[in-house]
Amino acid sequence: MAADMRFHLHNFLHPTSHSDSNTAAGRARSDQLRRLITEGTPTPRIAILGAGAAGICMALQLLEHGISSFTIYEKGERVGGTWRDNTYPGAACDVPSHLYSFSFAPKVDWSRKFPEQPEILGYLESLVSKYNLGNHIVFSAEVTEAVWNEERSLWALELSSGATHEAEVVVSGLGQLNRPNIPQIAGLDTFTGTKFHSAQWDHSHDLHGERVAVIGIGASAIQFVPQVAKLAAEITLFQRSVNYVAPKPDRPFTRLQISALKNVPGLRQAYRSSIYWRLEFRFRLMKKGSRLGAMMQRKFGEEVSKMASPNLPTEALVPQYTPGCRRILIANDWYPTLLRPQTRVVTEGVSRITSTGIITESGEEIPVDTIIFGTGFHATDFLAPLQITGRDGQDLNHAWKEGARAFLGLAVSGFPNFFILYGPNTNLGHNSILFMIEQQVGYIREIIDGFVTKGVTSAEVRERSMENFDAEISAALTKTVWNEDCSSWYKNSQGRVTNNWPDYTVAYKQRLAHPDQRDWKTNTASQVLDLE
Ligand code: NAP
């Protein structure tokens, strides 16, 4: 009982760390691992795909536990993943800054309550230099194919350059939002003005005095549109779906606050925990039929419809779906931007694009100089276009043709020694994704430990465990607002919610505290350990 209470207290005070960290048992396991490695026990070669937040987290936790036999393959020329790519004006995170760092490597001096892209990228880069990760990263190295070799218990990797590598373990840190979606609109190629996607911002292009069109209004657009509107002569927003946009309680920290959060013992941890729990309770909104959601919908509608005018119709302001079905956005400058005389909101779709403008579905031609796509990412395709061939020639993209699914979001039966960070059904609508990544990394690392401590050569999730998990997730998803009637990147074309975790993150943390041997089929060099 006392031990149990300690567990709960630890988790309450340190809600964001993985359960195995800072515990006596975890330290003992780590010490044993280090001792074996020092005595010469070989460690597996680990290929980490992507040097974004997930890949960096995996690498740091391996190093922390004495494993350095890993390589990070990064297709770009810089680390940072989504925070390297998304440099659009106004790019920021809607998770408060003191929660947006790893519990084991916190940033103690955030400059404001909600972090902006340069500061987050700086944080990730600082981790790479502080822990000398640079020696482990190969840049301009996109892994295009991974093929499992059953006989040798390893993955053969091929890079876009044609180079080949081998690794016993592969960990994907590719994430869900790495491939920009530019819709195939008729005539797009004929447009003679400038066009670019929000994740590929053309900083060399001056938008001053231009007629700008933005196609697609989601989390990215509500951040860059207010900035673009300050420069453009006219801005036309093609907003097919309306968002709930709530106030953003953002401001810079004062020097005193920064100093206190950095220096007063326990203060930063208490602040971080309070942010976590505050966000965590918002999961209530994601549950179908929540009274809080109904109240928010009513109040939001009443407030926002007051802004309606002939130029800004109610349908451009008030969503008709339950809050949370699409991501709830936060900004203070969104509605003031909509009210500017230079802003026009078009709620109908785009019919086609000409050399000089955009033709709406009702046939109106709107001349524009620049088109910016705020049309999001190929979020439900997950690891594609990477070709992954597992045991018995199974193709992962084929296995996922009706929607990606994975045990705990991180492993797929038939694909031994292959782990996914921020995989299917691990995205959130209410809390920090770094939290989820940290739990996954702790769990995967414990499996990798077994390669050293138990001589494991391959670990594969059992099909039955995967099916049970899938059934559980599918049932839980029916109780969330995400499968209600709205369009969102959480669903694939068949309407399956492939991206989101349908529970509190505390529940996810508990599930990922330690791998349960009953879920895993493990081979060692000489035998198959069937622990069922
Ligand atoms: P998004 O939320 O998926 O929004 C894309 C928008 O483009 C949607 O409103 C969609 O409308 C529209 N669209 C797509 N194809 C279209 C077409 N052919 N014609 C007209 N409209 C079209 O993408 P995002 O804004 O880039 O954000 C993606 C995710 O990135 C976010 O949800 C969030 O997780 C992350 N993000 C996070 C932050 C943060 O602060 N943490 C900031 C930015 C982004 P329909 O819905 O009608 O299809």
Side-chain angles (χ1 to χ4, degrees):
M1 175 67 180
D4 206 26
M5 275 187 64
R6 273 202 301 276
F7 174 82
H8 289 304
L9 190 61
H10 174 85
N11 278 286
F12 186 74
L13 297 174
H14 303 276
T16 61
S17 58
H18 183 258
S19 306
D20 199 41
S21 60
N22 300 320
T23 63
R27 275 194 297 275
R29 265 193 298 276
S30 185
D31 290 347
Q32 187 210 5
L33 181 70
R34 282 178 172 283
R35 187 173 44 74
L36 287 169
I37 294 171
T38 314
E39 287 167 6
T41 308
T43 56
R45 289 170 294 174
I46 301 157
I48 299 173
L49 313 187
I56 291 172
C57 182
M58 188 75 234
L60 293 183
Q61 282 298 290
L62 288 170
L63 278 184
E64 168 76 14
H65 291 80
I67 299 176
S68 55
S69 51
F70 62 85
T71 303
I72 306 180
Y73 296 93
E74 168 52 55
K75 77 172 177 198
E77 283 157 22
R78 249 181 112 170
V79 304
T82 198
W83 296 110
R84 171 203 60 206
D85 293 343
N86 286 276
T87 60
Y88 59 77
C93 184
D94 54 14
V95 172
S97 46
H98 274 276
L99 189 59
Y100 208 75
S101 62
F102 298 117
S103 68
F104 56 85
K107 177 170 162 58
V108 297
D109 59 353
W110 289 103
S111 67
R112 56 188 309 124
K113 288 185 88 175
F114 285 85
E116 293 177 347
Q117 176 266 341
E119 200 168 8
I120 302 171
L121 182 59
Y123 165 65
L124 295 173
E125 288 177 336
S126 76
L127 295 178
V128 171
S129 61
K130 182 170 173 194
Y131 296 96
N132 278 324
L133 277 187
N135 299 336
H136 291 270
I137 306 176
V138 191
F139 288 103
S140 306
E142 183 179 9
V143 176
T144 52
E145 199 177 348
V147 180
W148 173 246
N149 184 324
E150 178 79 6
E151 217 166 281
R152 298 177 60 212
S153 274
L154 56 76
W155 287 92
L157 305 176
E158 186 166 329
L159 274 57
S160 56
S161 62
T164 56
H165 294 274
E166 290 180 343
E168 278 72 38
V169 177
V170 176
V171 182
S172 163
L174 300 180
Q176 300 190 1
L177 303 166
N178 61 19
R179 290 192 306 123
N181 165 40
I182 298 184
Q184 299 298 308
I185 301 172
L188 179 58
D189 290 344
T190 65
F191 183 62
T192 52
T194 305
K195 54 180 190 280
F196 52 86
H197 186 276
S198 58
Q200 297 161 333
W201 199 269
D202 182 352
H203 289 280
S204 67
H205 183 70
D206 186 0
L207 294 162
H208 266 107
E210 284 206 329
R211 296 164 303 176
V212 178
V214 178
I215 300 180
I217 306 296
S220 303
I222 70 136
Q223 293 184 337
F224 70 74
V225 164
Q227 308 307 319
V228 172
K230 288 180 198 158
L231 307 174
E234 293 167 19
I235 183 162
T236 307
L237 309 178
F238 287 86
Q239 179 187 262
R240 210 162 58 174
S241 303
V242 196
N243 300 291
Y244 284 93
V245 184
K248 183 175 186 178
D250 187 25
R251 60 171 170 76
F253 288 117
T254 63
R255 277 170 56 189
L256 186 66
Q257 286 168 328
I258 293 173
S259 169
L261 284 163
K262 197 170 160 187
N263 300 313
V264 176
L267 180 64
R268 190 180 43 72
Q269 183 56 49
Y271 178 52
R272 179 179 165 102
S273 302
S274 76
I275 298 169
Y276 171 80
W277 288 115
R278 224 174 337 118
L279 295 187
E280 184 67 344
F281 285 117
R282 291 194 190 158
F283 182 72
R284 283 179 303 164
L285 263 180
M286 307 300 148
K287 290 184 177 174
K288 219 176 241 179
S290 105
R291 281 176 40 201
L292 188 64
M295 192 176 79
M296 181 175 167
Q297 182 164 13
R298 186 171 43 77
K299 282 205 154 259
F300 186 89
E302 281 168 12
E303 277 306 307
V304 175
S305 57
K306 287 180 192 157
M307 284 182 265
S309 68
N311 287 338
L312 190 58
T314 308
E315 68 260 29
L317 292 164
V318 182
Q320 294 304 313
Y321 54 85
T322 314
C325 185
R326 286 159 67 86
R327 191 180 173 92
I328 298 171
L329 308 178
I330 52 172
N332 298 328
D333 46 7
W334 178 247
Y335 296 113
T337 302
L338 293 188
L339 293 171
R340 288 170 71 113
Q342 303 89 333
T343 306
R344 176 175 173 197
V345 183
V346 175
T347 52
E348 58 183 314
V350 171
S351 164
R352 64 193 166 85
I353 293 175
T354 65
S355 60
T356 53
I358 297 178
I359 301 192
T360 67
E361 276 171 351
S362 63
E364 184 191 355
E365 176 160 11
I366 301 174
V368 297
D369 304 306
T370 292
I371 301 174
I372 305 174
F373 289 97
T375 40
F377 300 84
H378 293 284
T380 56
D381 292 346
F382 287 88
L383 305 176
L386 170 61
Q387 280 291 319
I388 303 154
T389 310
R391 201 165 34 72
D392 305 325
Q394 297 174 69
D395 172 47
L396 188 57
N397 294 326
H398 182 75
W400 281 354
K401 66 181 187 307
E402 277 158 24
R405 53 194 82 210
F407 177 66
L408 301 176
L410 54 72
V412 183
S413 179
F415 298 83
N417 297 6
F418 190 93
F419 303 100
I420 308 161
L421 298 172
Y422 192 17
N425 294 110
T426 63
N427 181 57
L428 302 173
H430 72 290
N431 212 328
S432 169
I433 200 61
L434 294 193
F435 170 93
M436 301 297 270
I437 289 170
E438 204 169 321
Q439 308 313 312
Q440 291 153 8
V441 163
Y443 181 98
I444 294 167
R445 203 220 69 239
E446 213 172 310
I447 295 179
I448 293 174
D449 289 355
F451 283 63
V452 183
T453 56
K454 299 183 188 134
V456 169
T457 54
S458 75
E460 178 183 341
V461 66
R462 288 182 188 285
E463 207 168 325
R464 212 183 52 211
S465 298
M466 205 176 127
E467 279 166 8
N468 289 345
F469 179 76
D470 192 44
E472 189 192 323
I473 287 287
S474 302
L477 282 165
T478 62
K479 297 185 187 132
T480 67
V481 290
W482 304 313
N483 72 352
E484 288 190 5
D485 187 17
C486 76
S487 133
S488 83
W489 61 269
Y490 302 155
K491 297 177 216 172
N492 69 3
S493 54
Q494 288 110 316
R496 180 184 160 88
V497 178
T498 51
N499 292 62
N500 286 9
W501 169 247
D503 203 343
Y504 288 92
T505 66
V506 178
Y508 192 70
K509 174 172 170 152
Q510 271 170 359
R511 293 291 287 264
L512 273 72
H514 300 285
D516 183 333
Q517 295 297 326
R518 288 168 301 186
D519 294 322
W520 293 88
K521 197 163 62 182
T522 323
N523 288 348
T524 61
S526 55
Q527 57 172 318
V528 179
L529 285 183
D530 198 333
L531 295 165
E532 198 174 33

